[in-house]
Amino acid sequence: SAPLRRVLVPLDASPHAARALDVLAGWPGLAGTTVVLLRAVVPLGLLGFSPPEAMLDVSALADEEAEARAALEDAAARLRALGATVETRVATTADPVGAIVDAARETGAELVVMGARGLGGMARLTLGSVTDAVVRRGARPVGIVRDR
């Protein structure tokens, strides 16, 4: 099979995302791949919360975006050291699933690699997850890295 040219990896601060990054770092064809790392920043103010402390706080949002960029750059440096070409994107959105699906389309990703809790059956159906929603909404194949 032909090597993958472009892979999208949505990352958040979860251990599931870290595990997906670990698996990707061990990918045999990584040196010939462009990896797009995406972090969706979801400000509370965009989620419809009304308490004053949850309003769109521009300074807090700037801090969150800077923190997201720094985390992506750390991950990017690790993958670049292994020979991958890496692009980073921060999306500020109330719809992280839409941001992932859009980024996959916009970047021409052939595969989306995501971490998941490792739940199955009814637990997965009732809890739902960003990963499951991306599988349902996305037009790209999704590689799911389970915790166990």
Side-chain angles (χ1 to χ4, degrees):
S1 63
L4 290 170
R5 292 182 307 273
R6 294 183 73 77
V7 176
L8 174 68
V9 185
L11 295 175
D12 56 21
S14 75
H16 322 298
R19 175 85 180 109
L21 193 63
D22 289 344
V23 168
L24 187 65
W27 201 298
L30 187 63
T33 303
T34 296
V35 178
V36 180
L37 300 177
L38 172 70
R39 181 79 169 257
V41 174
V42 183
L44 287 178
L46 290 183
L47 292 177
F49 287 99
S50 54
E53 65 274 9
M55 288 310 199
L56 195 53
D57 179 335
V58 176
S59 139
L61 180 57
D63 290 348
E64 261 190 89
E65 289 172 344
E67 194 177 297
R69 279 190 193 82
L72 289 180
E73 278 309 317
D74 286 348
R78 177 180 174 196
L79 296 177
R80 286 182 185 120
L82 296 170
T85 300
V86 185
E87 300 169 10
T88 61
R89 289 179 159 220
V90 173
T92 302
T93 178
D95 177 18
V97 173
I100 294 166
V101 171
D102 290 349
R105 186 186 66 249
E106 291 164 10
T107 62
E110 298 159 291
L111 177 69
V112 179
V113 175
M114 299 182 72
R117 279 187 299 268
L119 299 171
M122 285 307 293
R124 191 176 80 233
L125 290 175
T126 56
L127 286 173
S129 73
V130 170
T131 302
D132 289 330
V134 169
V135 169
R136 287 193 305 271
R137 277 177 54 184
R140 302 290 190 273
V142 178
I144 299 172
V145 177
R146 298 215 183 270
D147 281 350
R148 297 276 169 250

